[in-house]
mmCIF file of all heavy atoms in Angstrom:
data_model
loop_
_atom_site.group_PDB
_atom_site.id
_atom_site.type_symbol
_atom_site.label_atom_id
_atom_site.label_comp_id
_atom_site.label_asym_id
_atom_site.label_seq_id
_atom_site.Cartn_x
_atom_site.Cartn_y
_atom_site.Cartn_z
ATOM 1 N N TYR A 75 -5.248 24.720 2.881
ATOM 2 C CA TYR A 75 -5.401 24.868 4.332
ATOM 3 C C TYR A 75 -5.378 26.342 4.746
ATOM 4 O O TYR A 75 -6.149 26.772 5.602
ATOM 5 C CB TYR A 75 -4.322 24.091 5.091
ATOM 6 C CG TYR A 75 -4.719 22.652 5.304
ATOM 7 C CD1 TYR A 75 -4.018 21.615 4.716
ATOM 8 C CD2 TYR A 75 -5.821 22.340 6.110
ATOM 9 C CE1 TYR A 75 -4.407 20.302 4.894
ATOM 10 C CE2 TYR A 75 -6.211 21.033 6.285
ATOM 11 C CZ TYR A 75 -5.505 20.019 5.676
ATOM 12 O OH TYR A 75 -5.907 18.729 5.864
ATOM 13 N N ALA A 76 -4.470 27.094 4.126
ATOM 14 C CA ALA A 76 -4.396 28.527 4.454
ATOM 15 C C ALA A 76 -5.745 29.188 4.183
ATOM 16 O O ALA A 76 -6.225 30.019 4.967
ATOM 17 C CB ALA A 76 -3.284 29.189 3.646
ATOM 18 N N LYS A 77 -6.393 28.767 3.082
ATOM 19 C CA LYS A 77 -7.729 29.292 2.745
ATOM 20 C C LYS A 77 -8.753 28.903 3.803
ATOM 21 O O LYS A 77 -9.623 29.672 4.160
ATOM 22 C CB LYS A 77 -8.178 28.745 1.384
ATOM 23 C CG LYS A 77 -7.775 29.625 0.230
ATOM 24 C CD LYS A 77 -8.469 29.176 -1.049
ATOM 25 C CE LYS A 77 -7.755 29.760 -2.252
ATOM 26 N NZ LYS A 77 -7.935 28.967 -3.453
ATOM 27 N N LYS A 78 -8.656 27.666 4.264
ATOM 28 C CA LYS A 78 -9.605 27.182 5.279
ATOM 29 C C LYS A 78 -9.466 28.022 6.564
ATOM 30 O O LYS A 78 -10.461 28.435 7.156
ATOM 31 C CB LYS A 78 -9.375 25.688 5.566
ATOM 32 C CG LYS A 78 -10.336 25.125 6.619
ATOM 33 C CD LYS A 78 -10.431 23.610 6.588
ATOM 34 C CE LYS A 78 -11.406 23.123 7.656
ATOM 35 N NZ LYS A 78 -11.719 21.703 7.569
ATOM 36 N N PHE A 79 -8.223 28.296 6.972
ATOM 37 C CA PHE A 79 -8.004 29.149 8.145
ATOM 38 C C PHE A 79 -8.636 30.522 7.916
ATOM 39 O O PHE A 79 -9.272 31.084 8.790
ATOM 40 C CB PHE A 79 -6.499 29.316 8.418
ATOM 41 C CG PHE A 79 -5.895 28.200 9.236
ATOM 42 C CD1 PHE A 79 -5.149 27.186 8.650
ATOM 43 C CD2 PHE A 79 -6.068 28.177 10.621
ATOM 44 C CE1 PHE A 79 -4.590 26.164 9.411
ATOM 45 C CE2 PHE A 79 -5.505 27.160 11.379
ATOM 46 C CZ PHE A 79 -4.759 26.151 10.782
ATOM 47 N N GLN A 80 -8.451 31.028 6.691
ATOM 48 C CA GLN A 80 -8.984 32.342 6.344
ATOM 49 C C GLN A 80 -10.501 32.402 6.484
ATOM 50 O O GLN A 80 -11.032 33.389 6.972
ATOM 51 C CB GLN A 80 -8.599 32.656 4.890
ATOM 52 C CG GLN A 80 -8.180 34.075 4.662
ATOM 53 C CD GLN A 80 -7.496 34.212 3.302
ATOM 54 O OE1 GLN A 80 -7.684 33.376 2.399
ATOM 55 N NE2 GLN A 80 -6.712 35.264 3.149
ATOM 56 N N THR A 81 -11.182 31.317 6.065
ATOM 57 C CA THR A 81 -12.651 31.312 6.179
ATOM 58 C C THR A 81 -13.089 31.399 7.639
ATOM 59 O O THR A 81 -14.199 31.803 7.932
ATOM 60 C CB THR A 81 -13.293 30.050 5.541
ATOM 61 O OG1 THR A 81 -12.809 28.904 6.250
ATOM 62 C CG2 THR A 81 -12.966 29.918 4.070
ATOM 63 N N PHE A 82 -12.210 30.996 8.556
ATOM 64 C CA PHE A 82 -12.522 31.109 9.989
ATOM 65 C C PHE A 82 -12.017 32.443 10.565
ATOM 66 O O PHE A 82 -12.064 32.663 11.776
ATOM 67 C CB PHE A 82 -11.882 29.962 10.777
ATOM 68 C CG PHE A 82 -12.470 28.606 10.487
ATOM 69 C CD1 PHE A 82 -11.647 27.499 10.250
ATOM 70 C CD2 PHE A 82 -13.846 28.417 10.482
ATOM 71 C CE1 PHE A 82 -12.196 26.248 9.994
ATOM 72 C CE2 PHE A 82 -14.397 27.166 10.223
ATOM 73 C CZ PHE A 82 -13.574 26.089 9.981
ATOM 74 N N GLY A 83 -11.507 33.285 9.687
ATOM 75 C CA GLY A 83 -11.010 34.582 10.138
ATOM 76 C C GLY A 83 -9.664 34.499 10.827
ATOM 77 O O GLY A 83 -9.282 35.389 11.591
ATOM 78 N N ILE A 84 -8.941 33.395 10.601
ATOM 79 C CA ILE A 84 -7.628 33.240 11.233
ATOM 80 C C ILE A 84 -6.572 33.400 10.149
ATOM 81 O O ILE A 84 -6.641 32.733 9.114
ATOM 82 C CB ILE A 84 -7.487 31.851 11.902
ATOM 83 C CG1 ILE A 84 -8.618 31.646 12.915
ATOM 84 C CG2 ILE A 84 -6.129 31.693 12.555
ATOM 85 C CD1 ILE A 84 -8.677 30.229 13.473
ATOM 86 N N SER A 85 -5.622 34.242 10.391
ATOM 87 C CA SER A 85 -4.582 34.474 9.400
ATOM 88 C C SER A 85 -3.398 33.547 9.661
ATOM 89 O O SER A 85 -2.711 33.654 10.675
ATOM 90 C CB SER A 85 -4.154 35.933 9.461
ATOM 91 O OG SER A 85 -3.055 36.123 8.605
ATOM 92 N N VAL A 86 -3.217 32.615 8.762
ATOM 93 C CA VAL A 86 -2.112 31.657 8.884
ATOM 94 C C VAL A 86 -1.372 31.625 7.556
ATOM 95 O O VAL A 86 -1.978 31.571 6.489
ATOM 96 C CB VAL A 86 -2.625 30.247 9.265
ATOM 97 C CG1 VAL A 86 -1.529 29.209 9.101
ATOM 98 C CG2 VAL A 86 -3.146 30.236 10.696
ATOM 99 N N ASN A 87 -0.070 31.706 7.646
ATOM 100 C CA ASN A 87 0.791 31.693 6.475
ATOM 101 C C ASN A 87 0.993 30.261 5.970
ATOM 102 O O ASN A 87 1.072 29.343 6.779
ATOM 103 C CB ASN A 87 2.132 32.261 6.945
ATOM 104 C CG ASN A 87 3.008 32.635 5.800
ATOM 105 O OD1 ASN A 87 3.348 31.764 4.985
ATOM 106 N ND2 ASN A 87 3.341 33.908 5.708
ATOM 107 N N GLU A 88 1.074 30.084 4.654
ATOM 108 C CA GLU A 88 1.330 28.744 4.097
ATOM 109 C C GLU A 88 2.568 28.092 4.708
ATOM 110 O O GLU A 88 2.639 26.876 4.877
ATOM 111 C CB GLU A 88 1.549 28.813 2.581
ATOM 112 C CG GLU A 88 0.268 28.759 1.790
ATOM 113 C CD GLU A 88 0.534 28.847 0.290
ATOM 114 O OE1 GLU A 88 1.423 28.137 -0.199
ATOM 115 O OE2 GLU A 88 -0.153 29.660 -0.368
ATOM 116 N N GLU A 89 3.554 28.952 5.013
ATOM 117 C CA GLU A 89 4.822 28.452 5.560
ATOM 118 C C GLU A 89 4.663 27.873 6.963
ATOM 119 O O GLU A 89 5.561 27.192 7.455
ATOM 120 C CB GLU A 89 5.854 29.584 5.611
ATOM 121 C CG GLU A 89 6.181 30.199 4.267
ATOM 122 C CD GLU A 89 6.922 29.222 3.359
ATOM 123 O OE1 GLU A 89 7.968 28.727 3.788
ATOM 124 O OE2 GLU A 89 6.443 28.954 2.239
ATOM 125 N N GLU A 90 3.554 28.199 7.606
ATOM 126 C CA GLU A 90 3.315 27.685 8.969
ATOM 127 C C GLU A 90 2.558 26.358 8.954
ATOM 128 O O GLU A 90 2.271 25.800 9.993
ATOM 129 C CB GLU A 90 2.501 28.724 9.778
ATOM 130 C CG GLU A 90 3.253 30.025 10.018
ATOM 131 C CD GLU A 90 2.378 31.092 10.641
ATOM 132 O OE1 GLU A 90 1.228 31.283 10.190
ATOM 133 O OE2 GLU A 90 2.843 31.755 11.601
ATOM 134 N N ILE A 91 2.196 25.904 7.736
ATOM 135 C CA ILE A 91 1.365 24.695 7.629
ATOM 136 C C ILE A 91 2.198 23.514 7.140
ATOM 137 O O ILE A 91 2.909 23.615 6.145
ATOM 138 C CB ILE A 91 0.181 24.945 6.664
ATOM 139 C CG1 ILE A 91 -0.691 26.104 7.202
ATOM 140 C CG2 ILE A 91 -0.653 23.677 6.489
ATOM 141 C CD1 ILE A 91 -1.681 26.642 6.194
ATOM 142 N N PHE A 92 2.122 22.412 7.854
ATOM 143 C CA PHE A 92 2.792 21.177 7.448
ATOM 144 C C PHE A 92 1.753 20.071 7.350
ATOM 145 O O PHE A 92 1.407 19.431 8.336
ATOM 146 C CB PHE A 92 3.904 20.817 8.434
ATOM 147 C CG PHE A 92 5.064 21.740 8.301
ATOM 148 C CD1 PHE A 92 5.031 23.002 8.887
ATOM 149 C CD2 PHE A 92 6.158 21.391 7.541
ATOM 150 C CE1 PHE A 92 6.078 23.891 8.718
ATOM 151 C CE2 PHE A 92 7.214 22.279 7.367
ATOM 152 C CZ PHE A 92 7.181 23.521 7.966
#
Side-chain angles (χ1 to χ4, degrees):
Chain A
Y75 274 115
K77 269 191 197 154
K78 180 161 180 171
F79 275 102
Q80 220 166 22
T81 62
F82 292 134
I84 303 172
S85 174
V86 168
N87 194 300
E88 274 179 47
E89 300 292 304
E90 295 172 315
I91 300 167
F92 288 80

